[in-house]
Amino acid sequence: MKLPVCFPLLSLSRGISFEQLRRELAEFAKERDWDQFHSPRNLALALVGEVGELCECFQWKGEVAEGLPGWSDKHKTALQQEMADVLLYLIRLSHKCHIDLPKVALNKLAVNAAKYPASLVRGSSRTHLPQLYGT
Amino acid sequence: MKLPVCFPLLSLSRGISFEQLRRELAEFAKERDWDQFHSPRNLALALVGEVGELCECFQWKGEVAEGLPGWSDKHKTALQQEMADVLLYLIRLSHKCHIDLPKVALNKLAVNAAKYPASLVRGSSRTHLPQLYGT
Amino acid sequence: MKLPVCFPLLSLSRGISFEQLRRELAEFAKERDWDQFHSPRNLALALVGEVGELCECFQWKGEVAEGLPGWSDKHKTALQQEMADVLLYLIRLSHKCHIDLPKVALNKLAVNAAKYPASLVRGSSRTHLPQLYGT
Amino acid sequence: MKLPVCFPLLSLSRGISFEQLRRELAEFAKERDWDQFHSPRNLALALVGEVGELCECFQWKGEVAEGLPGWSDKHKTALQQEMADVLLYLIRLSHKCHIDLPKVALNKLAVNAAKYPASLVRGSSRTHLPQLYGT
């Protein structure tokens, strides 16, 4: 039996919420008395550091296909960990900025859907669009 | 009645899951025939673009306190939108790399907790620590 | 005798040119047969990696004054090395993109001077300006 | 007559020095009373903003060959300007951190040459090397 074409390549774990990660990060910092270091700009700079490490995972590889075929487990694990770090700092930053990250993300998707109507932009190279999602 | 000091400053919306955002992004791209542009490296570069815009929100402000006191609604909204963009690209990238983002993030937190035992690092300036949450 | 107010805090070394660094980088890569890895997008991602490391130097320090007073030699050296890496990758990228970096930079300064006339913007907070130098 | 193989694809303009750009940037800021905004961390965040814009130039293009063949003049100009902005902020940041950028860059090249001896690393994929130039 063939899988239907629309079969999702990946379903993200359902039992882990944004709020759980936010709360665990807050407890993590509190237990270590690290809240004092978590000002918004410190966190923004730390986020950039992690994005840099994420990019290093891709830097000498030339084009990379979906699903990372041919990558060693070591390289896959490294990329996973950098993505995790980016997410954790982003959630921590949103907490310290009092921004409801999942809500604004869902809202942004609706804004983007209105901005780029499927009927108008289908298949057009986004090099000709100002940006993919957003300003 | 005063709120207890530990009252969380922010609870992230509970009804929005990582999986919902992943699925909506996938549908968004499919409807526009944009999957062809969403290779991992294209998405990584787009992520950097959004992180750049996030940093621009902070760039001329000097130190910024928790909760962004004194920021205009316009500046707060701009920051929210950039954070949303970073999150959306990160989820999209994780999908295209077949990485279960919330799961690896939760796991990374456990790794970090073991790496930086609260009893050892409490209050120590992280300028002396290699990083906040891991390599 | 007091130094005049306009005394430059720093003069950059005069005997080292952009062209020298470009040429030494080209020889460095050629001797190692690394040209094959230096595609523009590989270099752009590597540049981001180095910018991430530069930002890590600043990430847990809160506000930092001009000249980095109070920084240890170790931290100063780390920052110097990351700045050097960013510059080297930027020059290498400009070479591989056939862009005359010093010339476009000088030209951009003239464009910026016209865009932000001193008489109009003096002392105005750049939070109200679209950007400092640039689009 | 064929050009020799080692003919440089690009020679960077020789009449423009790092020191000239540093000085012009300093005058630019002074005339506008913008020195007050140019703290090291403000400049670092602005640098990230420009690196983000540089990456946006590459984001939807897939692999890009040396010399940017097939790029429109408009896209080439955009990339030139973003590279210029990155360089200008990097020089400005080095000034405000009292770091002699060309000198540390030249020194870093010597360090890298010793770290990656041509005889040992020739042609080896740098995915197996910790980094190209640097820590």
Side-chain angles (χ1 to χ4, degrees):
Chain A
M1 195 193 85
K2 270 188 66 185
L3 287 170
V5 173
C6 63
F7 185 81
L9 282 163
L10 174 77
S11 288
L12 299 177
S13 287
R14 283 163 193 278
I16 303 160
S17 68
F18 286 95
E19 172 59 11
Q20 179 183 355
L21 293 175
R22 182 204 65 78
R23 205 172 47 238
E24 293 211 11
L25 281 163
E27 283 163 13
F28 182 95
K30 199 179 167 213
E31 284 168 9
R32 284 156 186 79
D33 199 14
W34 281 359
D35 249 337
Q36 57 184 312
F37 303 114
H38 286 192
S39 67
R41 299 223 310 178
N42 279 7
L43 290 168
L45 286 162
L47 178 71
V48 176
E50 298 300 338
V51 170
E53 295 187 19
L54 189 157
C55 286
E56 284 177 12
C57 295
F58 288 112
Q59 74 190 359
W60 303 127
K61 296 192 191 297
E63 208 45 39
V64 170
E66 185 168 344
L68 316 176
W71 282 38
S72 68
D73 283 353
K74 189 183 151 195
H75 280 125
K76 280 184 190 170
T77 302
L79 179 60
Q80 283 179 1
Q81 297 206 334
E82 300 314 336
M83 277 198 201
D85 284 334
V86 173
L87 177 64
L88 292 172
Y89 274 121
L90 187 67
I91 290 176
R92 186 75 179 137
L93 179 61
S94 76
H95 177 176
K96 287 296 186 171
C97 293
H98 297 193
I99 286 174
D100 187 345
L101 187 58
K103 191 175 162 190
V104 296
L106 192 63
N107 186 56
K108 192 77 198 310
L109 261 172
V111 169
N112 292 335
K115 193 171 171 183
Y116 301 113
S119 57
L120 290 183
V121 301
R122 198 182 314 279
S124 66
S125 164
R126 256 93 42 82
T127 55
H128 303 302
L129 295 176
Q131 263 186 279
L132 171 53
Y133 318 109
T135 4
Chain B
M1 196 194 85
K2 269 186 67 185
L3 288 170
V5 173
C6 63
F7 185 80
L9 282 164
L10 174 77
S11 289
L12 299 178
S13 287
R14 282 163 193 276
I16 303 160
S17 68
F18 285 96
E19 172 59 12
Q20 179 183 354
L21 294 175
R22 182 203 65 78
R23 206 172 46 237
E24 294 211 11
L25 281 164
E27 284 163 14
F28 183 94
K30 198 178 168 213
E31 285 168 7
R32 285 157 186 76
D33 198 14
W34 281 359
D35 250 337
Q36 56 184 311
F37 302 114
H38 286 192
S39 67
R41 298 223 310 177
N42 279 7
L43 290 168
L45 286 161
L47 177 72
V48 177
E50 298 301 338
V51 169
E53 295 187 20
L54 188 158
C55 286
E56 284 177 13
C57 295
F58 287 114
Q59 75 190 357
W60 302 127
K61 295 191 191 299
E63 209 42 41
V64 169
E66 184 169 344
L68 315 175
W71 282 38
S72 67
D73 283 351
K74 189 182 150 193
H75 280 124
K76 281 183 190 171
T77 301
L79 179 60
Q80 283 180 0
Q81 297 206 335
E82 301 313 337
M83 278 198 201
D85 284 334
V86 173
L87 177 64
L88 293 172
Y89 273 122
L90 187 66
I91 289 176
R92 185 76 178 138
L93 179 61
S94 76
H95 177 176
K96 289 294 185 173
C97 294
H98 297 193
I99 286 173
D100 187 345
L101 187 59
K103 190 175 162 191
V104 296
L106 192 62
N107 186 57
K108 192 78 197 312
L109 261 172
V111 169
N112 291 335
K115 193 171 172 182
Y116 302 112
S119 56
L120 290 183
V121 301
R122 198 183 313 279
S124 67
S125 164
R126 254 94 42 83
T127 55
H128 303 303
L129 294 176
Q131 265 186 279
L132 172 53
Y133 316 109
T135 357
Chain C
M1 194 194 86
K2 268 186 69 184
L3 288 170
V5 173
C6 63
F7 186 80
L9 283 163
L10 174 77
S11 289
L12 299 178
S13 287
R14 284 164 192 276
I16 303 160
S17 67
F18 286 96
E19 172 59 11
Q20 179 183 355
L21 294 175
R22 182 203 65 77
R23 206 172 45 236
E24 294 212 9
L25 281 163
E27 284 162 14
F28 183 94
K30 199 180 166 212
E31 285 168 8
R32 285 156 186 78
D33 198 14
W34 282 358
D35 250 338
Q36 56 183 313
F37 303 115
H38 287 192
S39 67
R41 299 224 309 178
N42 280 8
L43 290 168
L45 286 162
L47 178 71
V48 177
E50 298 301 338
V51 170
E53 294 187 20
L54 189 158
C55 287
E56 284 177 13
C57 295
F58 288 113
Q59 74 190 359
W60 302 127
K61 296 192 191 298
E63 208 45 38
V64 170
E66 185 169 343
L68 315 175
W71 282 39
S72 67
D73 283 352
K74 189 182 150 194
H75 281 123
K76 280 184 191 170
T77 301
L79 178 60
Q80 283 179 0
Q81 298 206 334
E82 301 313 337
M83 277 197 202
D85 285 334
V86 174
L87 177 63
L88 293 173
Y89 274 121
L90 187 66
I91 289 176
R92 186 75 179 139
L93 179 61
S94 76
H95 178 177
K96 289 294 186 173
C97 294
H98 297 193
I99 286 173
D100 187 345
L101 188 58
K103 190 175 162 192
V104 296
L106 192 63
N107 186 57
K108 192 76 198 311
L109 261 171
V111 169
N112 291 335
K115 192 170 171 184
Y116 303 112
S119 57
L120 289 182
V121 301
R122 198 183 313 278
S124 67
S125 165
R126 256 93 43 81
T127 55
H128 303 303
L129 295 176
Q131 263 186 281
L132 171 53
Y133 316 108
T135 4
Chain D
M1 194 194 85
K2 269 187 67 184
L3 287 171
V5 174
C6 64
F7 186 80
L9 283 163
L10 174 77
S11 289
L12 299 178
S13 287
R14 283 163 192 278
I16 302 160
S17 67
F18 286 95
E19 172 59 11
Q20 179 183 354
L21 293 175
R22 183 204 64 78
R23 206 172 47 237
E24 294 212 11
L25 281 164
E27 283 163 14
F28 183 94
K30 199 179 167 214
E31 285 169 8
R32 284 156 186 79
D33 198 13
W34 281 358
D35 249 338
Q36 57 184 310
F37 302 114
H38 286 192
S39 68
R41 299 224 309 178
N42 280 7
L43 290 168
L45 287 162
L47 177 71
V48 177
E50 298 301 338
V51 170
E53 295 186 21
L54 188 159
C55 286
E56 284 176 14
C57 295
F58 288 113
Q59 72 190 358
W60 302 127
K61 296 193 191 296
E63 208 45 38
V64 170
E66 185 169 343
L68 316 176
W71 282 38
S72 68
D73 283 353
K74 189 183 150 194
H75 281 123
K76 280 183 192 170
T77 302
L79 179 60
Q80 283 180 1
Q81 298 206 334
E82 301 313 336
M83 277 197 201
D85 284 335
V86 173
L87 177 64
L88 293 172
Y89 274 121
L90 187 66
I91 289 175
R92 186 75 178 138
L93 179 61
S94 76
H95 177 176
K96 289 295 185 172
C97 293
H98 297 193
I99 286 173
D100 187 344
L101 188 58
K103 191 176 163 191
V104 296
L106 192 63
N107 186 57
K108 193 76 197 312
L109 261 172
V111 169
N112 291 336
K115 192 172 171 182
Y116 302 112
S119 56
L120 289 182
V121 302
R122 199 182 314 277
S124 67
S125 164
R126 257 92 42 82
T127 56
H128 303 302
L129 295 176
Q131 263 185 278
L132 171 54
Y133 317 109
T135 8

